[in-house]
Amino acid sequence: DAEYEGILLGDKSWCTVFDNSKIKRFVPGFVATVPFAQGIKRTINWFEAHRQSCGIDEEFNKFMDTLIDTYEGKTHK
């Protein structure tokens, strides 16, 4: 699907490692003050408070299933 070509070929086709060494070099005094466990709880709380962001897009899911099946050589009728 041409709509997703740039996203899939550009961003998702390469293995990537993300780290924060660059920001630490430029801002050596920076210290993350929110532990992961607390941060993920905040994230879950946000989604629970914004249920409209938690919907399932069945049309998009079907598109992704077709894309994966095509990649794996399966056919659709």
Side-chain angles (χ1 to χ4, degrees):
D1 189 304
E3 181 180 351
Y4 297 98
E5 184 176 321
I7 296 169
L8 293 174
L9 294 178
D11 186 40
K12 307 295 188 281
S13 63
W14 302 101
C15 294
T16 315
V17 175
F18 296 95
D19 69 32
N20 59 4
S21 59
K22 189 173 185 179
I23 191 68
K24 286 182 177 182
R25 222 175 19 253
F26 288 102
V27 188
F30 174 79
V31 177
T33 58
V34 179
F36 176 80
Q38 183 182 0
I40 201 68
K41 284 179 185 177
R42 288 181 185 179
T43 301
I44 291 168
N45 289 339
W46 185 91
F47 277 104
E48 288 177 343
H50 299 86
R51 291 286 181 183
Q52 71 276 11
S53 298
C54 299
I56 296 172
D57 185 339
E58 292 297 340
E59 185 177 327
F60 184 74
N61 282 349
K62 287 178 187 176
F63 168 71
M64 286 292 124
D65 288 342
T66 302
L67 184 70
I68 292 165
D69 287 347
T70 301
Y71 175 78
E72 292 177 345
K74 299 174 186 174
T75 58
H76 281 263
K77 293 181 180 181

